[in-house]
Amino acid sequence: MTTRTILIGENPTVIIRAGGSARIEGTDTDRVTASTESRWGLKVERRGDRIEVEAGGSCTVRLPFSSEVKVYAGKDAEILDIRNRIALASVGGHLTIERANRLAHAQCGRSMNIDCAEFEGDNIKFEAGGNIRCHIANLADTRVMIQDLGGKWELGFGSKRRTLQLKCGGDVTLVAAQPPDELPEVFGQIEVHHHSEQPDPGSQE
């Protein structure tokens, strides 16, 4: 196994590119540590105010909870415990995001499973080739527009001044912290979880 480590400051921006699959884990640390079992190479570099990780094959990257990350992976990606911001996740295969704080953009070629506190922006789209399961704790004032295998449907929460679009080649399951203001005549899969399971930012794993 090849491992590379670089010391960093607070709230780093980390860009990860993997030819294979990528597992990114937020931890209580002051460094970025990347590892791979592939023979296709691994590089960790500081470029200005960013840290860039490049792996020819699959890799695992451990970094501070407070990181801002961008992830590009040719196959699957798991992004866990990022308590700052996921600016971008672009993945060829399956995408899993768990216990995240903010998510700005996500797309993948197969299934997508999102668990985060909130999305960033007033009009964004998450897109997947397969199924989407989307749990965003804060959907206040959001219009959710969904296009899946069964057609188009939408839900509203509050003033609907923001728009979240979910588009996929399979089925969408929307998991919300509260029920929508009203249900349309035709709709898909909705689950209501009244208590968010987001991590305490002050806690340690």
Side-chain angles (χ1 to χ4, degrees):
M1 177 183 290
T2 302
T3 300
R4 294 290 183 270
T5 299
I6 186 169
L7 292 170
I8 55 174
E10 294 183 355
N11 305 320
T13 297
V14 183
I15 300 172
I16 298 150
R17 297 181 177 89
S21 297
R23 180 180 174 89
I24 295 93
E25 302 175 8
T27 63
D28 184 15
T29 185
D30 62 353
R31 61 199 66 192
V32 173
T33 299
S35 60
T36 183
E37 295 184 357
S38 169
R39 296 179 297 173
W40 298 105
L42 176 67
K43 184 164 56 176
V44 178
E45 295 182 327
R46 188 188 307 275
R47 294 185 178 177
D49 59 354
R50 304 178 301 179
I51 303 297
E52 298 195 8
V53 177
E54 295 187 18
S58 298
C59 66
T60 297
V61 181
R62 294 179 174 86
L63 36 67
F65 289 128
S66 61
S67 302
E68 176 178 321
V69 301
K70 293 182 180 180
V71 180
Y72 305 86
K75 294 184 179 179
D76 303 337
E78 287 184 277
I79 308 174
L80 312 174
D81 296 301
I82 300 300
R83 300 179 184 175
N84 183 353
R85 176 177 184 258
I86 300 172
L88 171 67
S90 180
V91 176
H94 301 285
L95 172 62
T96 299
I97 296 173
E98 295 182 359
R99 299 179 299 277
N101 185 22
R102 283 184 294 146
L103 176 61
H105 183 75
Q107 62 183 42
C108 66
R110 303 187 73 179
S111 65
M112 178 183 296
N113 190 339
I114 294 173
D115 173 22
C116 71
E118 59 184 354
F119 67 90
E120 182 175 294
D122 290 331
N123 190 349
I124 67 165
K125 178 190 287 186
F126 301 153
E127 192 165 359
N131 297 331
I132 293 178
R133 180 179 174 83
C134 181
H135 176 205
I136 295 178
N138 181 12
L139 287 175
D141 301 319
T142 300
R143 177 188 185 194
V144 183
M145 302 174 64
I146 295 168
Q147 182 176 347
D148 63 7
L149 199 58
K152 296 181 180 179
W153 50 289
E154 69 176 65
L155 301 168
F157 300 85
S159 69
K160 299 188 284 189
R161 63 177 177 80
R162 305 188 302 164
T163 301
L164 169 63
Q165 299 180 62
L166 303 175
K167 182 179 180 181
C168 72
D171 294 313
V172 169
T173 299
L174 180 68
V175 183
Q178 66 280 331
D181 294 345
E182 60 181 296
L183 290 173
E185 182 178 7
V186 179
F187 56 92
Q189 300 181 72
I190 306 168
E191 298 177 13
V192 178
H193 292 184
H194 292 285
H195 298 287
S196 171
E197 297 180 356
Q198 296 301 313
D200 178 357
S203 68
Q204 296 182 356
E205 300 289 318

